Amino acid sequence: MASHIVGYPRMGPKRELKFALESFWDGKSSAEDLEKVATDLRASIWKQMSEAGIKYIPSNTFSYYDQVLDTTAMLGAVPERYSWAGGEIGLSTYFSMARGNATVPAMEMTKWFDTNYHFIVPELGPTIKFTHASHKAVSEYKEAKALGIDTVPVLIGPVSYLLLSKPAKGVDKSFSLLSLLSSILPIYKEVVAELKAAGASWIQFDEPTLVKDLDAHELAAFTSAYAELESAFSGLNVLIETYFADIPAENYKTLTSLSGVTAYGFDLVRGAKTLDLVRSSFPSGKYLFAGVVDGRNIWADDLAASLSTLESLEAVVGKDKLVVSTSCSLMHTAVDLVNETKLDDEIKSWLAFAAQKVVEVNALAKALVGQKDEAYFAANAAAQASRRSSPRVTNEEVQKAAAALRGSDHRRATNVSARLDAQQKKLNLPVLPTTTIGSFPQTMDLRRVRREYKAKKISEEEYTNAIKEEISKVVKIQEELDIDVLVHGEPERNDMVEYFGEQLSGFAFTANGWVQSYGSRCVKPPIIYGDVSRPNPMTVYWSKTAQSMTSRPMKGMLTGPVTILNWSFVRNDQPRFETCYQIALAIKKEVEDLEAGGIQVIQIDEAALREGLPLRKSEHAFYLDWAVHSFRITNCGVQDTTQIHTHMCYSNFNDIIHSIIDMDADVITIENSRSDEKLLSVFREGVKYGAGIGPGVYDIHSPRIPSTEEIADRINKMLAVLDTNILWVNPDCGLKTRKYTEVKPALTNMVSATKLIRTQLASAK
């Protein structure tokens, strides 16, 4: 009976690792304290899988920050700026790479494929000396073994590692990262030899880049890498795991002909086309790890459907060569449904979190060998049926309104330059207007107030007064700093998606459905289970209250439909774009109510537009078309004088810049500083952009405070490629995770730098 889990969440069912990390970073606990929490978590995860009957249990999927950074440490690929002296990499070097320190900035962070997880991007170049500098994989294998559990150590495959890297600062952009293959393979061989010596019989290499569009040169790198590793693999079973999409036919051919490989893992949830490839040709005598249980969503598996898929695959690969698996690591889903005491029973019966998915995988594996748990399968079938017929899922009116959208492309009546002129007459902003992205620091007091209000420990009046007081403080700070376009600081919001979802119908919420986003940061995605509508205004009261406290423009703050979609667990019973159009209509009502309430600047964040981009180029146009259309639906009805802003985070925009222009926002603020101004290169290459744009002038994800000179230098770099009259000055992202002791000096320097440059521009005139 063969079952396998690709990977498992590492934060813990109650975010134990998050709290241990933050305590350690704050100097409140020791490295030993942190290591104890980590050791206990790992042990409980391995035991849980072992007790559930899983045969192939992964190890080395745990991480203190990120699995790609762990690989960088394993290869000793530490950038020079961290002045690492060699030897085993310790926590201080490791966390400096992840988070920066007082003297040097962090490494770049970017999206892990099309998920909401971020990895730390390796910085490589021709002179780098690789050395085996972290023995984490073997020590975790031994740790599990000491508990009597034999695991499958998981490594990020060498080719994917290089393809996910970037040339370090100062290295020519055209440098071939794959040219480093022969330098890293000796380290991989050492790691494999150590694992083998410790008793490992299986090793899993994650090579998820195999689902992307690869050229012949990249595919050849897989062939040569595994040919080179083949001798190290003797006496071992090697699984190559792919996930997140179906695998292109050419890549499948390369993968299934690799030397020394025993088994292949595929995502059969997002990779329906892969099934056809397997059915038409699968190498005999090899194992198929069939990823039928969805690792990226929270819906209970349709066990009957999965079982019939598995039975059809058995006929192709043979009974003893089929292993039931998850579609990808379960780190992209919530941890355990047991901790959900507030969800009602009906919705709960439709769900499965990581711990439940482990059980599903095992139940399917048992059913394949004639040990089907009839009661378990019957309960699952009943839950599937109740979800299909529940009146909570369908709202006729919403369905009709969304269907009616098909006829129009929803554009504003006038072009952006005419609108900007009309807005400027009304807003009267200086050249290089300054603003922030939306949130201000969420202090302990503020979180306490929200918590007490939720627990009904304080009255609505007390809560409202506390929030008003906070808004007034934030407005005062911004006025003292002399910022031009203000924000209310979002003190009433726990999260930019959850806050809206709680006020929309068709959404459900968990108490502990946390998913790691990066480092210790977790998000709690809402669950969209039914048709979406907006019963009442959501933000109008707070925005009007904030505007009444100042004569400067106050931005209304909304999260856009595509981001709400991409940051939620989305229903899987209708196409994603239909759900997105429903959300767009709800946000459109809110935009129009804000405008009617006297709010002249409205920001609709689309932080996650880029991350929803399919992994395959052939699918980009369709996605971008409905995503951008959804954004336009939200604001196509406002007057020319109402200024629509949008904000985007962490992304590589160069390939979607035309879609960003097509969103037709009046002003876009964009994450820029950590991506080393890659963004600006688009404009250097001559893309004409006529709307307002604010590329972030400093990185808010790091506690470092940038100097006035540094920010002025950044603004000048932007002015070299962008017109003075369209440039805005702002931080990269919202400030909610920072402390006021960091925010005030950083914003002071940002405004001083702006004024310095305004003076220079005026004297140049």
Side-chain angles (χ1 to χ4, degrees):
M1 191 182 78
S3 49
H4 166 250
I5 304 295
V6 177
Y8 201 80
R10 44 222 184 192
M11 279 294 132
K14 299 268 174 83
R15 293 183 293 163
E16 291 83 348
L17 183 62
K18 169 195 174 69
F19 299 119
L21 282 166
E22 290 172 359
S23 165
F24 174 69
W25 293 336
D26 286 343
K28 292 177 185 156
S29 59
S30 68
E32 292 70 44
D33 297 331
L34 175 60
E35 278 156 13
K36 178 168 186 344
V37 171
T39 308
D40 292 349
L41 271 175
R42 289 193 294 263
S44 73
I45 291 166
W46 292 324
K47 283 180 183 150
Q48 178 191 337
M49 290 196 216
S50 171
E51 282 158 15
I54 300 296
K55 180 175 179 182
Y56 301 105
I57 296 173
S59 61
N60 200 38
T61 56
F62 175 85
S63 178
Y64 280 121
Y65 207 93
D66 164 53
Q67 68 271 20
V68 182
L69 184 60
D70 293 346
T71 312
T72 297
M74 178 183 95
L75 298 167
V78 181
E80 265 167 43
R81 64 179 177 278
Y82 301 106
S83 10
W84 170 60
E88 185 82 2
I89 287 177
L91 288 180
S92 118
T93 302
Y94 180 84
F95 287 133
S96 291
M97 292 194 283
R99 309 175 67 233
N101 60 35
T103 51
V104 290
M107 292 168 75
E108 186 190 339
M109 184 156 73
T110 198
K111 296 285 182 198
W112 178 243
F113 294 82
D114 59 351
T115 69
N116 185 31
Y117 175 76
H118 306 70
F119 72 96
I120 301 287
V121 184
E123 301 171 12
L124 307 175
T127 58
I128 189 160
K129 293 280 174 280
F130 294 100
T131 122
H132 187 188
S134 161
H135 294 67
K136 175 179 178 292
V138 74
S139 66
E140 284 190 22
Y141 174 79
K142 288 176 173 167
E143 197 180 298
K145 206 167 179 186
L147 299 168
I149 299 170
D150 189 30
T151 58
V152 178
V154 179
L155 301 171
I156 289 191
V159 186
S160 290
Y161 177 77
L162 292 175
L163 291 175
L164 292 165
S165 304
K166 66 169 193 178
K169 226 183 182 132
V171 172
D172 197 294
K173 291 282 175 264
S174 64
F175 171 68
S176 160
L177 294 157
L178 288 174
S179 68
L180 297 170
L181 200 52
S182 56
S183 316
I184 67 170
L185 290 175
I187 316 281
Y188 273 90
K189 285 181 184 170
E190 278 183 52
V191 176
V192 169
E194 274 196 1
L195 289 167
K196 199 162 123 183
S201 55
W202 279 83
I203 297 184
Q204 172 180 325
F205 286 90
D206 282 9
E207 291 280 14
T209 49
L210 277 165
V211 304
K212 298 184 84 165
D213 299 304
L214 300 175
D215 60 33
H217 166 67
E218 292 164 328
L219 286 173
F222 282 95
T223 306
S224 64
Y226 286 89
E228 176 64 33
L229 289 169
E230 185 175 14
S231 57
F233 290 162
S234 74
L236 283 170
N237 288 301
V238 172
L239 159 66
I240 302 223
E241 186 61 61
T242 68
Y243 36 78
F244 299 149
D246 48 54
I247 181 165
E250 212 40 51
N251 303 14
Y252 177 81
K253 213 154 83 191
T254 301
L255 169 62
T256 50
S257 347
L258 293 179
S259 341
V261 175
T262 329
Y264 316 102
F266 299 111
D267 180 335
L268 300 179
V269 176
R270 295 197 170 214
K273 292 184 193 137
T274 305
L275 277 171
D276 301 335
L277 292 172
V278 171
R279 287 181 181 132
S280 64
S281 75
F282 190 79
S284 67
K286 302 288 189 188
Y287 289 83
L288 171 65
F289 281 61
V292 290
V293 171
D294 191 351
R296 285 183 64 170
N297 219 324
I298 41 61
W299 304 109
D301 190 64
D302 182 341
L303 295 175
S306 291
L307 189 58
S308 87
T309 301
L310 290 163
E311 285 167 347
S312 75
L313 288 170
E314 248 184 1
V316 180
V317 305
K319 237 181 174 29
D320 57 334
K321 292 286 187 276
L322 182 64
V323 179
V324 183
S325 184
T326 53
S327 65
C328 62
S329 169
L330 297 176
M331 66 179 281
H332 305 291
T333 190
V335 183
D336 196 342
L337 200 51
V338 196
N339 299 316
E340 298 307 324
T341 44
K342 296 221 173 75
L343 277 175
D344 66 76
D345 290 345
E346 184 181 28
I347 288 181
K348 214 166 166 179
S349 75
W350 302 341
L351 307 179
F353 292 179
Q356 288 66 46
K357 289 174 189 290
V358 168
V359 175
E360 289 180 336
V361 165
N362 201 60
L364 286 164
K366 281 169 75 173
L368 277 180
V369 294
Q371 300 170 27
K372 186 174 178 190
D373 180 337
E374 294 296 350
Y376 182 76
F377 270 73
N380 174 270
Q384 299 290 328
S386 101
R387 196 178 148 210
R388 277 191 290 270
S389 60
S390 172
R392 299 168 70 171
V393 172
T394 315
N395 176 335
E396 290 298 328
E397 204 180 317
V398 174
Q399 294 273 350
K400 274 203 194 91
L405 292 171
R406 307 248 158 93
S408 156
D409 65 354
H410 302 90
R411 287 181 191 278
R412 287 174 78 178
T414 28
N415 72 18
V416 71
S417 52
R419 298 196 310 259
L420 287 169
D421 289 344
Q423 291 154 15
Q424 181 53 16
K425 283 199 184 82
K426 200 166 176 183
L427 297 171
N428 200 14
L429 298 169
V431 65
L432 306 179
T434 53
T435 189
T436 63
I437 303 305
S439 58
F440 262 63
Q442 298 238 336
T443 58
M444 297 300 266
D445 286 346
L446 188 53
R447 288 170 199 267
R448 195 194 70 242
V449 166
R450 279 208 313 263
R451 212 170 33 244
E452 288 179 350
Y453 177 55
K454 240 185 168 158
K456 304 204 171 18
K457 285 185 184 154
I458 58 172
S459 69
E460 180 158 12
E461 189 183 358
E462 287 171 291
Y463 169 72
T464 304
N465 288 339
I467 298 291
K468 277 185 180 164
E469 201 173 309
E470 182 68 23
I471 293 174
S472 148
K473 186 177 97 183
V474 167
V475 169
K476 202 174 260 115
I477 289 171
Q478 294 172 90
E479 290 189 328
E480 282 164 8
L481 290 165
D482 204 14
I483 290 172
D484 302 305
V485 174
L486 308 193
V487 297
H488 77 293
E490 304 175 22
E492 77 288 9
R493 303 186 190 181
N494 43 2
D495 173 90
M496 60 183 282
V497 173
E498 188 168 319
Y499 179 75
F500 291 95
E502 281 174 342
Q503 303 183 71
L504 293 166
S505 54
F507 280 75
F509 293 87
T510 63
N512 286 290
W514 297 98
V515 181
Q516 186 181 12
S517 168
Y518 64 87
S520 68
R521 178 118 169 81
C522 300
V523 291
K524 192 154 61 76
I527 296 167
I528 304 179
Y529 66 84
D531 289 336
V532 176
S533 60
R534 184 204 75 149
N536 296 298
M538 304 182 282
T539 65
V540 179
Y541 173 78
W542 296 118
S543 286
K544 283 171 72 171
T545 300
Q547 183 64 80
S548 72
M549 296 175 180
T550 180
S551 57
R552 301 182 185 213
M554 172 61 65
K555 281 197 278 197
M557 271 297 148
L558 306 174
T559 302
V562 187
T563 298
I564 291 178
L565 182 88
N566 283 338
W567 285 356
S568 297
F569 287 124
V570 182
R571 56 193 288 195
N572 55 1
D573 58 349
Q574 70 177 17
R576 286 175 76 87
F577 66 84
E578 289 190 15
T579 304
C580 199
Y581 285 155
Q582 293 179 2
I583 304 169
L585 286 171
I587 299 294
K588 179 178 196 282
K589 285 186 174 166
E590 187 71 10
V591 167
E592 288 164 8
D593 283 350
L594 280 169
E595 183 183 56
I599 302 298
Q600 300 173 14
V601 181
I602 301 169
Q603 181 171 308
I604 306 164
D605 280 351
E606 280 297 12
L609 184 100
R610 173 72 176 67
E611 106 192 8
L613 201 61
L615 297 173
R616 205 68 48 63
K617 285 197 180 69
S618 58
E619 296 163 24
H620 285 192
F622 178 66
Y623 165 76
L624 288 167
D625 187 57
W626 62 254
V628 168
H629 188 179
S630 298
F631 177 82
R632 287 200 310 263
I633 288 167
T634 63
N635 62 84
C636 61
V638 301
Q639 298 164 20
D640 284 0
T641 48
T642 297
Q643 189 166 78
I644 299 291
H645 286 224
T646 188
H647 172 68
M648 296 185 162
C649 305
Y650 282 135
S651 279
N652 181 357
F653 296 100
N654 303 26
D655 50 354
I656 62 160
I657 191 70
H658 294 290
S659 297
I660 291 176
I661 293 170
D662 200 36
M663 287 168 77
D664 197 27
D666 296 309
V667 178
I668 177 166
T669 52
I670 221 158
E671 188 274 336
N672 172 56
S673 68
R674 233 179 145 157
S675 329
D676 223 34
E677 287 133 29
K678 273 194 296 230
L679 168 77
L680 294 181
S681 64
V682 181
F683 302 109
R684 264 183 223 112
E685 286 151 22
V687 170
K688 283 282 165 276
Y689 192 73
I693 182 164
V697 294
Y698 80 91
D699 175 18
I700 66 92
H701 295 87
S702 161
R704 208 176 136 264
I705 294 158
S707 67
T708 301
E709 296 70 37
E710 189 184 321
I711 295 178
D713 178 53
R714 279 236 152 93
I715 298 171
N716 276 322
K717 273 192 188 148
M718 294 170 189
L719 287 172
V721 290
L722 294 163
D723 285 348
T724 320
N725 62 344
I726 64 167
L727 188 65
W728 284 63
V729 178
N730 45 264
D732 259 351
C733 247
L735 305 169
K736 109 175 179 188
T737 59
R738 297 267 62 89
K739 300 180 170 76
Y740 272 108
T741 50
E742 297 156 350
V743 165
K744 282 182 181 168
L747 291 178
T748 301
N749 294 351
M750 181 184 91
V751 174
S752 306
T754 309
K755 289 180 171 172
L756 183 72
I757 291 185
R758 282 178 190 157
T759 311
Q760 290 168 359
L761 289 171
S763 60
K765 260 191 183 152

